[in-house]
C-alpha cells in the first residue's frame, strides 16, 4: 500500500504542478517528489520484495507457480519503468531550477514530462494489477 499510495500521490502532485504552469510550484514539487521516492518508494520496493520472497518460502509456495512468475514479472516491469522515471524527475527538476518562468522552459522539459507520463501510466496500471494479484492470489497452485 505504501508503494501504491506514494506512487499515486507523487505522480498526482508532479503532474498538477506541471499543469499549473507555475515554475515555482514545479521546482518545489519535483524536488519533493524525488525526496519522497527515496524516503518512501525505494524502501517500500526493497521491503516488499524481501518480505514477499520470505513469506513465499515460509508458506512453502512454489516459485515456479504461474502466480509468482506473473507477480515477479510485473514487479520487474514496474521497476523498469520507475528507474527511468526517477532519472526524468531529476532532469525535470534541474531544468525547472534553471528556468526563470514556465513559458521559458525548453522544449526538452516538456518532452521529458511526456515520457514521464508514458512510463508512469503503464507502471501505475501494473501496480494496480500487482496489488490485486497479491490480494486474490489466482493461479497459486498452477505451475509452468
Amino acid at each position: 500500500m505504501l508503494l501504491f499510495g506514494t506512487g499515486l500521490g507523487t505522480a498526482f502532485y508532479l503532474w498538477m504542478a506541471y499543469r499549473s504552469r507555475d515554475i515555482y510550484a514545479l521546482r518545489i514539487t519535483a524536488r519533493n517528489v524525488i525526496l519522497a521516492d527515496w524516503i518512501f518508494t525505494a524502501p517500500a520496493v526493497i521491503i516488499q520484495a524481501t518480505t514477499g520472497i520470505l513469506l513465499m518460502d515460509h508458506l512453502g509456495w512454489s516459485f515456479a507457480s504461474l502466480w509468482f512468475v506473473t507477480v515477479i514479472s510485473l514487479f520487474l516491469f514496474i521497476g523498469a519503468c520507475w528507474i527511468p522515471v526517477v532519472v526524468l524527475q531529476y532532469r525535470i527538476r534541474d531544468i525547472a531550477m534553471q528556468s526563470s518562468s514556465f513559458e521559458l522552459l525548453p522544449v526538452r522539459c516538456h518532452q521529458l514530462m511526456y515520457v514521464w507520463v508514458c512510463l508512469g501510466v503503464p507502471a501505475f496500471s501494473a501496480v494496480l494489477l500487482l496489488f490485486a494479484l497479491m490480494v486474490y492470489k489466482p493461479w497459486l497452485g498452477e505451475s509452468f
Side-chain angles (χ1 to χ4, degrees), residues 25-114:
L26 182 59
R27 287 175 184 166
I28 190 109
T29 303
R31 186 183 76 200
N32 288 332
V33 163
I34 291 166
L35 182 61
D37 271 343
W38 289 114
I39 292 174
F40 301 109
T41 310
V45 167
I46 293 165
I47 291 166
Q48 182 180 9
T50 303
T51 58
I53 289 170
L54 291 172
L55 183 60
M56 290 230 7
D57 185 56
H58 176 74
L59 295 173
W61 292 350
S62 172
F63 290 96
S65 70
L66 177 59
W67 177 83
F68 180 76
V69 171
T70 304
V71 165
I72 200 68
S73 297
L74 284 168
F75 193 79
L76 293 172
F77 172 77
I78 294 162
C81 292
W82 178 68
I83 292 169
V85 160
V86 172
V87 172
L88 291 170
Q89 290 167 177
Y90 274 98
R91 291 183 182 158
I92 291 162
R93 181 208 56 196
D94 293 347
I95 292 170
M97 293 302 290
Q98 296 169 1
S99 187
S100 59
S101 72
F102 187 88
E103 292 71 29
L104 295 177
L105 281 173
V107 171
R108 182 71 181 139
C109 187
H110 303 292
Q111 292 169 336
L112 294 173
M113 280 301 298
Y114 177 79

